[in-house]
């Protein structure tokens, strides 16, 4: 339902927004209703930069009802007469900007907010949205499900690429990272597990309230919330990094040994990629039917069932590549998955398994997978140019993305230089966003005496299998 208070024709509002001027004659316009991402053009919004989210949620699994208040702290990047938030479904009740009631309108996933007074460029402001209802499960273009996934004993919230807008309003594009505070109230006997550090947990009148805090910047697609019955483990690594794992009781026995290796994997990864970029780590293990894929949710990756060691390595490598160094747009997805896949190859190489060269050769020769169609799929499109949103997580993004990194390693012909490059990339763009162009420029600057043109043309952007390996 379209709603403004007071009621004013939409056309008139738009006209007012577009012609509003400050006393200095500077035109104030509404922020954009999307960032024109090549695969999700309506994701994110223009005109402001979010610095912090404060989420306060109350969820009852039996009725699947969510009551919530989200407060967003942001900075206006232009003169703003109105701005948009992404929110899929749910019933908006009130919206305020800096404590003053604001007019608002809804159209699809867009929540348009018009504050009583226009916002000057560079002004920091706070918008609070109160809302409730049953959060939606979103089906992605590739057929997988994200958003709010009901489970037998609670719910699991997953956000890649746009599912986070199913449970809180915001600027849901990877280019806008922020810190988070999350307070969740659920029935006594259930746990609420999220990103970052657990601050408080208390039970009153049959309801348990848990508070989580994430101090390092996080893209919204990396936020998670798991509600259910979990076995909780709280330990520390030899370097005193907190490790918090939450495991469904049915998966506890199968998960115990591999989760105990988290400190070992992180120590190995730090040696390769540099200091761990966050202040806690861990994992969430739900039942296999609760989700159809693992996801590198920041500091606490989610697994549908007990992971094996290689899947654990893959998801923890994302803490550097994807979570700390985050893509500027969804076209840069291979920078996440190619790096995490190659990390798995390096783990095998360093732990008595196949070498990265052997895996590369098998993929090139079409013998890596038992199913011929899977081997052919590696060459179905260039990793830097998935044909559409349905192929964003296609095989080339993972396998051929890793092959690009191996070609860089071959071109350098120096493993010390290659490992320094991996570490330097993670350090240079720590807690920032990066594009494919940023990466190719970075590689060329690190090795100006090497020619990478053939790598980019044939392996990163080229169609089909290159003629020479």
């Amino acid at each position: 339902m379209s709603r403004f208070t007071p009621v004013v024709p939409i056309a008139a509002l738009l006209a007012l927004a577009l012609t509003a001027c400050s006393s200095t004659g500077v035109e104030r316009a509404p922020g954009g209703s999307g960032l024109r991402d090549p695969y999700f053009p309506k994701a994110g919004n223009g005109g402001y930069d979010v610095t912090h989210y404060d989420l306060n949620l109350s969820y009852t699994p039996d009725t699947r009802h969510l009551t919530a208040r989200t407060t967003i702290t942001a900075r206006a990047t232009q003169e703003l007469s109105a701005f948009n938030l992404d929110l899929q479904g749910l019933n908006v009740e009130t919206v305020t900007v800096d404590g003053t009631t604001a007019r608002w309108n809804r159209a699809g996933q867009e929540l348009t907010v018009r504050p009583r007074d226009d916002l000057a460029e560079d002004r920091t402001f706070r918008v609070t949205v109160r809302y409730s209802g049953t959060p939606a499960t979103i089906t992605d273009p590739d057929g997988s499900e994200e958003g709010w996934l009901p489970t037998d004993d609670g719910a699991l919230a997953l956000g890649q690429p746009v599912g986070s807008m199913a449970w809180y309003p915001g600027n849901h594009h990877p280019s806008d990272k922020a810190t988070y505070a999350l307070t969740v109230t659920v029935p006594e006997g259930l746990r609420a597990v999220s990103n970052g550090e657990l601050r408080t947990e208390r039970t009153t009148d049959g309801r348990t309230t848990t508070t989580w805090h994430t101090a390092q910047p996080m893209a919204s697609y990396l936020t998670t919330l798991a509600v259910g019955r979990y076995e909780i483990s709280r330990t520390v690594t030899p370097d005193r990094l907190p490790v918090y794992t939450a495991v469904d009781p049915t998966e506890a026995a199968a998960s115990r040994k591999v989760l105990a290796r988290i400190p070992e994997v992180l120590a190995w990864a730090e040696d390769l990629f540099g200091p761990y970029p966050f202040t806690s780590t861990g994992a969430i293990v739900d039942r296999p039917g609760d989700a159809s894929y693992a996801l590198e949710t920041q500091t606490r990756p989610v697994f549908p069932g007990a992971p094996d060691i290689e899947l654990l390595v893959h998801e923890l490598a994302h803490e550097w590549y994807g979570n700390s160094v985050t893509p500027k747009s969804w076209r840069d997805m291979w920078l996440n998955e190619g790096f995490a896949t190659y990390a798995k190859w390096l783990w095998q190489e360093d732990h008595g398994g196949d070498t990265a060269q052997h895996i590369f050769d098998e993929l090139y020769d079409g013998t890596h997978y038992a199913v011929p169609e899977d081997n052919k799929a590696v060459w179905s499109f260039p990793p830097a140019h998935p044909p559409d949103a349905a192929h964003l997580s296609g095989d080339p993004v993972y396998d051929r993305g890793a092959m690009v990194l191996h070609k860089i390693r071959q071109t350098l012909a120096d493993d010390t230089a290659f490992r320094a490059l991996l570490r330097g990339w993670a350090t240079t763009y720590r807690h920032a966003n990066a594009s494919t162009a940023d990466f190719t420029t970075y590689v060329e600057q690190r090795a100006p005496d090497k020619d990478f043109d053939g790598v980019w043309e044939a392996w990163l952007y080229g169609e089909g299998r290159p003629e020479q390996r």
Side-chain angles (χ1 to χ4, degrees):
M1 179 178 69
S2 177
R3 173 180 169 186
F4 265 93
T5 306
V7 176
V8 180
I10 298 299
L13 281 174
L14 291 174
L16 285 170
L18 290 169
T19 59
C21 295
S22 69
S23 59
T24 59
V26 177
E27 183 178 275
R28 290 178 173 170
S33 61
L35 296 177
R36 292 182 172 81
D37 185 274
Y39 302 107
F40 299 94
K42 298 297 287 183
N45 303 284
Y48 64 93
D49 173 60
V50 178
T51 57
H52 183 70
Y53 289 92
D54 190 337
L55 280 61
N56 195 308
L57 314 173
S58 180
Y59 185 64
T60 303
D62 287 348
T63 61
R64 297 186 179 179
H65 186 77
L66 177 72
T67 301
R69 180 187 73 245
T70 291
T71 297
I72 300 166
T73 303
R75 181 183 63 85
T77 58
Q78 66 176 65
E79 304 261 351
L80 280 176
S81 61
F83 58 89
N84 281 32
L85 302 172
D86 300 314
L87 181 65
Q88 180 72 48
L90 299 169
N91 303 309
V92 174
E93 295 156 5
T94 63
V95 181
T96 62
V97 176
D98 290 333
T100 301
T101 299
R103 294 176 289 178
W104 55 271
N105 168 258
R106 299 203 65 184
Q109 72 183 55
E110 300 296 328
L111 170 60
T112 303
V113 178
R114 181 176 173 81
R116 187 182 67 178
D117 299 315
D118 292 347
L119 302 174
E121 185 176 358
D122 289 328
R123 173 177 166 178
T124 296
F125 63 95
R126 288 179 176 83
V127 53
T128 298
V129 182
R130 293 180 181 271
Y131 56 101
S132 62
T134 301
T137 298
I138 297 173
T139 300
D140 291 335
D142 66 2
S144 60
E145 291 186 335
E146 58 162 334
W148 194 267
L149 309 177
T151 63
D152 287 345
D153 58 353
L156 178 62
L158 298 177
Q160 184 175 291
V162 295
S164 47
M165 68 179 176
W167 57 289
Y168 66 96
N171 199 23
H172 292 296
H173 189 267
S175 61
D176 193 359
K177 302 166 73 170
T179 59
Y180 280 77
L182 187 146
T183 301
V184 190
T185 301
V186 297
E188 184 177 1
L190 300 182
R191 299 273 190 169
V193 183
S194 189
N195 314 86
E197 287 77 60
L198 175 65
R199 289 291 178 85
T200 63
E201 191 172 30
R202 64 185 183 277
T203 299
T204 306
D205 298 329
R207 304 278 288 182
T208 298
T209 299
T210 307
T211 302
W212 294 87
H213 186 259
T214 300
Q216 291 81 37
M218 178 166 62
S220 62
Y221 80 91
L222 296 169
T223 58
T224 190
L225 174 61
V227 175
R229 293 180 177 84
Y230 295 103
E231 291 190 9
I232 303 298
S233 172
R234 301 181 70 176
T235 60
V236 294
T237 69
D239 293 333
R240 310 304 297 172
L241 181 74
V243 183
Y244 185 105
T245 62
V247 183
D248 186 279
T250 63
E251 298 297 318
S255 300
R256 193 166 291 119
K257 285 186 177 180
V258 69
L259 295 184
R261 299 184 72 180
I262 288 175
E264 175 192 354
V265 173
L266 290 181
W268 170 84
E270 283 193 301
D271 184 58
L272 271 175
F273 311 140
Y276 181 70
F278 303 108
T279 50
S280 68
T281 187
I284 298 169
V285 181
D286 253 312
R287 283 167 287 191
D290 291 340
S292 60
Y293 51 89
L295 188 62
E296 63 270 19
T297 44
Q298 191 161 304
T299 69
R300 200 147 289 114
V302 171
F303 300 96
D308 61 22
I309 187 62
E310 290 185 8
L311 181 57
L312 182 68
V313 169
H314 181 105
E315 300 305 334
L316 289 178
H318 274 307
E319 300 290 1
W320 286 262
Y321 307 112
N323 298 4
S324 177
V325 184
T326 304
K328 283 185 179 177
S329 83
W330 287 114
R331 177 165 285 164
D332 305 306
M333 181 75 159
W334 82 274
L335 288 172
N336 292 13
E337 301 302 346
F339 272 82
T341 299
Y342 201 74
K344 188 171 64 176
W345 295 9
L346 292 174
W347 172 270
Q348 292 183 58
E349 186 170 272
D350 289 348
H351 291 81
D354 291 334
T355 65
Q357 184 65 55
H358 178 81
I359 299 169
F360 177 94
D361 289 340
E362 283 191 338
L363 286 166
Y364 187 86
D365 293 335
T367 60
H368 186 68
Y369 295 110
V371 179
E373 288 74 14
D374 292 341
N375 290 305
K376 292 179 182 178
V378 173
W379 311 106
S380 56
F381 59 84
H385 274 300
D388 51 42
H391 292 84
L392 196 62
S393 295
D395 292 345
V397 174
Y398 291 71
D399 290 333
R400 193 167 162 187
M403 295 177 87
V404 170
L405 295 178
H406 194 70
K407 291 300 296 182
I408 294 170
R409 182 181 180 182
Q410 289 179 332
T411 302
L412 289 171
D414 182 337
D415 269 6
T416 300
F418 176 68
R419 296 193 177 210
L421 184 146
L422 294 178
R423 188 184 184 101
W425 173 249
T427 301
T428 301
Y429 286 90
R430 182 181 174 95
H431 298 314
N433 293 87
S435 68
T436 298
D438 291 328
F439 177 69
T440 56
T441 298
Y442 171 82
V443 172
E444 291 170 353
Q445 289 175 344
R446 286 295 297 258
D449 58 327
K450 302 293 184 179
D451 183 3
F452 295 97
D453 288 350
V455 177
W456 312 146
E457 292 171 7
W459 293 88
L460 185 57
Y461 292 106
E463 297 285 349
R465 189 179 77 156
E467 292 185 2
Q468 294 184 354
R469 73 180 70 194

